[in-house]
Amino acid sequence: MKFITLFETQCSLNSNYLYDTLMKNVEATDFVFVPKAYGSANKNTQITALNKILSIKSSAKLWIGTPGITSANYTSLPSLTTMKNFINDVYNGLSNKNAVAGIYYNQESIYGSMTYSTNIVSGTQPGNKQVKLMSDVKSSLNAIIGTNQMLWIPYYGYGSNAATIIKNIGYVADTTTIFKYVCLQPHYLFEPDLSPNNLLGVQYSVKNNKICYRDGVAVISSPISGKPTIGFEMEYTPESGYSSRYQEYVNTFNSYKSKPHGFYW
């Protein structure tokens, strides 16, 4: 799996450049749509974008994106019905439904406190409720799109709360079977001072196929059977001043190109 993201906010770019030049010529096999946050996400924008991709690349595998859950709205989660209806409407608007590989669950972190256990879905803290919604969405997918594959692309830990961010990812990725793939954003390109050794921590996680801290110690030493495959995301910008840092990504992950990976731009 080799994906590229397309954000709803990028859909306002020049159409000839976005589709006929960029999306048509990328080597990606999979295309991941990233909607705006819950309450602002526009299903019609996603339908138009995914159909445009199919029109220029018939072999494309599509990941329908869910409305974004963020640090600003996690205390008022969308209902399962809302999530199902959004996915159903986008799916039914596609010109080739067989192109759908699965769902991209648009939430970059677990927000707020969480009770840690071998059954984190049953907890009552905000973080547990977020994981419960993830699980419920997966359980509903077969009836909507004919597959229950889900992709998650959380950001790896940064700042003073880095260890907790990584721990939360580890509990979701390695104690549940919610996701097919968990691809980690190193969160290093733009804020290296807040993310020391993040590339190494993500490399440890990909190499061992379980979420590890920056020192290589696994969050969950013995992950559950059927857990997701751990991959990585390459963060990129054409702006000047970032090329040497991007090369660090290339050097770190060059040996792991057979793992699920993608590009954020």
Side-chain angles (χ1 to χ4, degrees):
M1 179 197 186
K2 185 176 184 179
F3 67 85
I4 187 169
T5 57
L6 175 60
F7 283 71
E8 183 175 338
T9 53
Q10 293 170 322
C11 290
S12 60
L13 295 174
N14 179 278
S15 179
N16 289 335
Y17 166 75
L18 180 61
Y19 297 106
D20 297 334
T21 299
L22 182 59
M23 292 296 162
K24 185 176 182 179
N25 294 308
V26 294
E27 295 180 2
T29 57
D30 294 58
F31 294 77
V32 177
F33 193 88
V34 185
K36 293 180 180 179
Y38 165 58
S40 300
N42 188 315
K43 62 187 178 185
N44 292 320
T45 301
Q46 182 167 186
I47 292 168
T48 299
L50 294 181
N51 279 334
K52 182 65 175 179
I53 289 170
L54 287 174
S55 73
I56 60 175
K57 201 160 190 172
S58 60
S59 62
K61 298 176 182 178
L62 307 179
W63 293 82
I64 296 172
T66 59
I69 295 171
T70 71
S71 59
N73 67 13
Y74 76 89
T75 57
S76 182
L77 292 173
S79 67
L80 176 60
T81 298
T82 296
M83 297 287 267
K84 288 166 58 178
N85 288 344
F86 186 92
I87 294 166
N88 184 69
D89 289 348
V90 173
Y91 179 73
N92 283 328
L94 296 179
S95 60
N96 180 9
K97 297 177 178 61
N98 291 328
V100 175
I103 297 301
Y104 162 60
Y105 199 90
N106 186 14
Q107 179 173 343
E108 294 184 304
S109 186
I110 300 299
Y111 305 106
S113 57
M114 185 160 79
T115 299
Y116 301 103
S117 70
T118 56
N119 185 19
I120 56 172
V121 172
S122 65
T124 60
Q125 296 299 310
N128 302 94
K129 293 179 181 179
Q130 293 159 49
V131 180
K132 176 67 162 55
L133 181 59
M134 291 173 171
S135 180
D136 289 345
V137 168
K138 177 182 178 173
S139 297
S140 305
L141 286 184
N142 260 322
I144 302 173
I145 63 171
T147 179
N148 64 0
Q149 289 197 151
M150 294 209 328
L151 165 69
W152 191 33
I153 315 175
Y155 55 72
Y156 197 67
Y158 70 96
S160 60
N161 199 34
T164 299
I165 294 171
I166 297 168
K167 183 177 181 179
N168 289 345
I169 299 171
Y171 268 82
V172 175
D174 293 329
T175 72
T176 80
T177 59
I178 296 171
F179 294 99
K180 174 70 173 179
Y181 305 110
V182 172
C183 293
L184 301 173
Q185 302 177 40
H187 195 94
Y188 175 74
L189 187 71
F190 301 105
E191 297 182 305
D193 293 340
L194 294 177
S195 313
N197 297 318
N198 268 23
L199 291 178
L200 187 58
V202 173
Q203 184 192 62
Y204 283 137
S205 301
V206 173
K207 179 180 180 180
N208 295 295
N209 199 39
K210 54 187 175 183
I211 304 302
C212 298
Y213 295 105
R214 294 165 174 166
D215 60 1
V217 175
V219 175
I220 304 296
S221 58
S222 298
I224 189 174
S225 176
K227 65 172 295 297
T229 302
I230 307 301
F232 60 94
E233 185 173 63
M234 301 286 285
E235 295 158 318
Y236 174 78
T237 178
E239 297 178 20
S240 62
Y242 293 95
S243 59
S244 62
R245 209 171 295 151
Y246 179 75
Q247 187 60 44
E248 292 182 56
Y249 281 69
V250 174
N251 295 342
T252 300
F253 299 116
N254 190 52
S255 298
Y256 300 96
K257 290 184 288 187
S258 63
K259 301 289 187 178
H261 64 286
F263 294 82
Y264 162 95
W265 58 284

